[in-house]
Amino acid sequence: MFYTVVFASKKAEREFCLREHPRLRISGKIAGTAYSGAFQPNGGEWYLILSKRFLKEAGVGLGDRVEIELEIADQDEVDVPDDLMAELKRRVEVLEAWEGLTAGRRRGLAYRVATAKRAETRERRILEVIDLVMDLCDSV
């Protein structure tokens, strides 16, 4: 898999205390475009992953110099697509199970739905997430 990364400077490493919080979630702007993500550790360095979609939206490419404005984000925040949330709310037991998952697990499941390009794929993934949430709940 190929992706674009931005490495944290030593100043950012100190200011964000990345040694103490290696996967710190952040939000802000990169090249004037809203960004949210988490620093990823890599052998004493940290980086942010920038998707192709983000790079296209920001109008930047490899080697471009950009302004970056970041702040620490709510570590428990999860952006849940509206259609996934509607389905969760329709099934009370699933919503309760969803809320019992870690923020990281919920983010991963929400991302799976959010990245579907076609409506049929999105609907299928929502049902898969519902099943997975119930399976995770049953295994606890």
Side-chain angles (χ1 to χ4, degrees):
M1 176 166 53
F2 295 96
Y3 49 89
T4 302
V5 300
V6 173
F7 280 94
S9 66
K10 293 296 179 189
K11 179 181 177 187
E13 177 186 322
R14 287 188 307 276
E15 287 183 10
F16 287 114
C17 302
L18 293 176
R19 294 201 181 276
E20 292 82 29
H21 309 285
R23 294 188 189 276
L24 186 70
R25 297 202 55 75
I26 53 88
S27 63
K29 291 186 177 185
I30 298 178
T33 303
Y35 178 85
S36 66
F39 282 105
Q40 302 298 314
N42 180 32
E45 294 184 297
W46 287 266
Y47 61 89
L48 298 172
I49 297 174
L50 305 180
S51 68
K52 285 183 184 179
R53 180 185 291 175
F54 176 82
L55 292 173
K56 185 176 180 179
E57 185 179 324
V60 296
L62 292 176
D64 289 350
R65 292 178 93 46
V66 297
E67 184 173 323
I68 299 175
E69 303 171 38
L70 301 174
E71 61 184 28
I72 296 172
D74 178 352
Q75 300 303 293
D76 294 325
E77 181 179 349
V78 179
D79 291 327
V80 182
D82 292 340
D83 47 356
L84 174 57
M85 182 53 76
E87 190 63 26
L88 291 169
K89 287 181 176 179
R90 223 174 53 71
R91 306 174 190 206
V92 175
E93 71 282 358
V94 179
L95 181 59
E96 289 174 359
W98 170 266
E99 291 172 348
L101 299 175
T102 65
R105 178 65 65 116
R106 285 182 279 137
R107 268 191 295 277
L109 294 172
Y111 180 80
R112 174 129 175 86
V113 171
T115 56
K117 294 179 182 172
R118 298 180 330 167
E120 308 85 55
T121 305
R122 193 173 180 98
E123 290 171 12
R124 187 184 78 246
R125 288 184 182 180
I126 288 172
L127 296 176
E128 289 171 359
V129 165
I130 297 299
D131 288 343
L132 184 57
V133 168
M134 292 313 296
D135 288 348
L136 290 170
C137 179
D138 291 341
S139 66
V140 175

